[in-house]
Amino acid sequence: MIVNEATRRLLITAGPTYEPIDAVRFIGNRSSGRLGTSLAEHAAALGWEVSLLLGPNAIEPTNPQITLERFQSTSDLENLLQTHLPESDVLIMAAAVADYRPAPEEVNLEGKRRREGGNLSIRLESTPDLLAGCSKIARDDQLLVGFALEPKDRMISSALSKLARKNIDLIVANALETMDSDSIEATLIGNTERGVEHESSTSGTITKTEFAKWLLTQLEPLTDQRKSINA
Ligand code: CTP
């Protein structure tokens, strides 16, 4: 691909994180990574330069133009974000990042925990908020987009508080009720504190493929506006 200054560069994360307990066990979640991968595919088809950071799952993107890197844990993803964020115009965090992981003294990557009888408690530590961390190091010409999967009755209020807490530019609020479904109903909200005046919603519930097209259409002008800051 010929890359020129007008080419939009997308860094996108998708899928679950697996936080190891020992050589064979982990704490994970049910994210399929389909939504983020579909966004990556559509962006690449539109001529964006796309780097996809994908968690452990069976999905393989089909577009050969997509640069693919795999992660397992939150810590792997944190390292990949630090490496790739500087080369991007937009970051979309669609990955379902763990909020807690086994504390280091609980983890044995070489062996397997034996059954000891009785109950077992494993101490968990908080993971860093990766989006908030990206916001601290991002340049003024970059756009940071997060997702907020929330119960419908408090979808917008929770999304707004995440937007402020993580200090990012935009958040996609989508209803928890559509998790694991092929369809989605979402609202994209800009952070006015960061100069992004934007609010738009999908027209009702749409397929995840339609959603990918819809979101990229919303993000294109906002990305170009940001990119022009340092042009
Ligand atoms: N996220 C992140 N780092 C984390 C957790 C979440 O970067 N440790 C990102 C997700 O990729 C998503 C956004 O933050 O884009 C919101 O994730 P969510 O799990 O809904 O929010 P949390 O910050 O974990 O808040 P809570 O668990 O209270 O809902």
Side-chain angles (χ1 to χ4, degrees):
M1 185 200 288
I2 299 163
V3 176
N4 61 38
E5 283 181 10
T7 304
R8 303 179 182 105
R9 299 170 303 169
L10 172 65
L11 177 61
I12 178 158
T13 69
T17 53
Y18 282 4
E19 306 299 334
I21 297 171
D22 63 19
V24 293
R25 302 184 182 93
F26 59 83
I27 297 176
N29 63 65
R30 280 178 22 221
S31 165
S32 70
R34 275 184 300 152
L35 189 64
T37 305
S38 168
L39 277 162
E41 298 276 8
H42 282 284
L46 288 171
W48 293 46
E49 188 190 308
V50 181
S51 289
L52 171 62
L53 310 181
L54 189 54
N57 56 26
I59 291 189
E60 283 290 338
T62 54
N63 192 317
Q65 302 286 1
I66 296 174
T67 304
L68 176 67
E69 295 227 37
R70 290 277 181 181
F71 63 84
Q72 293 274 324
S73 65
T74 301
S75 160
D76 298 340
L77 180 56
E78 186 176 23
N79 290 334
L80 285 171
L81 282 168
Q82 276 167 11
T83 305
H84 294 286
L85 185 65
E87 307 147 10
S88 72
D89 300 313
V90 189
L91 167 66
I92 302 181
M93 276 292 283
V97 185
D99 287 329
Y100 296 95
R101 62 189 168 201
E105 67 275 13
E106 303 275 5
V107 181
N108 173 12
L109 292 177
E110 311 303 320
K112 187 179 160 219
R113 251 175 205 272
R114 292 283 150 206
R115 176 194 284 269
E116 284 168 4
N119 296 332
L120 169 70
S121 298
I122 296 181
R123 205 172 70 80
L124 303 181
E125 65 173 18
S126 242
T127 56
D129 187 321
L130 302 186
L131 255 180
C134 287
S135 164
K136 292 199 176 95
I137 58 169
R139 298 185 309 267
D140 290 348
D141 61 345
Q142 293 179 304
L143 202 63
L144 305 180
V145 185
F147 270 80
L149 187 67
E150 299 288 347
K152 213 168 175 177
D153 57 345
R154 55 184 158 87
M155 191 174 94
I156 301 297
S157 59
S158 296
L160 284 172
S161 67
K162 279 180 193 177
L163 196 57
R165 176 156 49 86
K166 292 168 192 273
N167 192 28
I168 54 173
D169 298 297
L170 291 143
I171 196 140
V172 182
N174 67 297
L176 189 62
E177 289 77 1
T178 58
M179 194 183 165
D180 283 343
S181 149
D182 280 332
S183 52
I184 181 169
E185 184 174 359
T187 299
L188 178 68
I189 310 167
N191 188 346
T192 49
E193 297 287 309
R194 288 172 62 100
V196 187
E197 301 281 347
H198 184 97
E199 182 161 347
S200 55
S201 297
T202 57
S203 41
T205 306
I206 58 176
T207 66
K208 286 190 175 169
T209 306
E210 287 165 346
F211 168 77
K213 289 186 191 147
W214 174 83
L215 183 61
L216 291 167
T217 306
Q218 310 300 308
L219 292 181
E220 273 179 351
L222 297 166
T223 304
D224 293 347
Q225 214 178 338
R226 270 298 161 89
K227 268 169 81 73
S228 69
I229 285 179
N230 287 342

